[in-house]
Amino acid sequence: MMQDCLFCKIANEELDTDFVYQDDKVVVFKDINPQAPVHLLIVPRKHIPTILDLKEEDKELVGYIYLLAARLAREEGIAEDGFRVVSNCNEQGGQTVFHIHFHLLGGRNLQWPPG
Ligand code: 5GP
Ligand code: ZN
């Protein structure tokens, strides 16, 4: 647990956050500034600042998160139409919270240019 990390605080239930899903490895909650009708953040409980900090020992966790993303996409009803899983890294990648997380986006056409 990192003292000044927003997502550590959320995962630690120090902030009042409604979890869509939680278990011993991850918490999932709605993005405060949604970019699509479904916009969830899948956040590992482990504090890993960026994708660049992933270690061999985190391989299973990343796979776990993708399987969970697929499951949540089905549950949210966006699986068939299509969805996006995004993880931003560092400034030009658009990362603003330095605790890795995976955006699950869907419920609208995300194609660009629109297909
Ligand atoms: P990033 O820009 O690092 O890829 O994603 C961070 C995301 O966290 C942004 O989409 C932002 O809207 C979301 N976010 C930032 N602070 C909070 C918060 O306090 N609560 C929730 N639910 N989402 C947050
Ligand atoms: Zn953290």
Side-chain angles (χ1 to χ4, degrees), residues 38 59 62 94:
V38 176
K59 276 178 2 186
V62 175

Side-chain angles (χ1 to χ4, degrees), residues 1-14 45-47 99:
M1 158 82 189
M2 290 278 290
Q3 231 65 310
D4 292 325
C5 172
L6 174 66
F7 284 178
C8 281
K9 286 183 184 156
I10 287 178
N12 226 29
E13 290 173 50
E14 286 180 33
R45 290 185 183 275
K46 182 178 178 184
H47 180 84
H99 174 136

Side-chain angles (χ1 to χ4, degrees), residues 6-7 10 15 17 29-33 39 41 88 94-98 101 103:
L6 174 66
F7 284 178
I10 287 178
L15 304 175
T17 311
F29 50 91
K30 289 184 177 172
D31 196 293
I32 202 170
N33 182 23
H39 187 170
L41 297 174
N88 299 322
Q95 186 174 9
T96 58
V97 177
F98 286 79
H101 51 279
H103 299 256

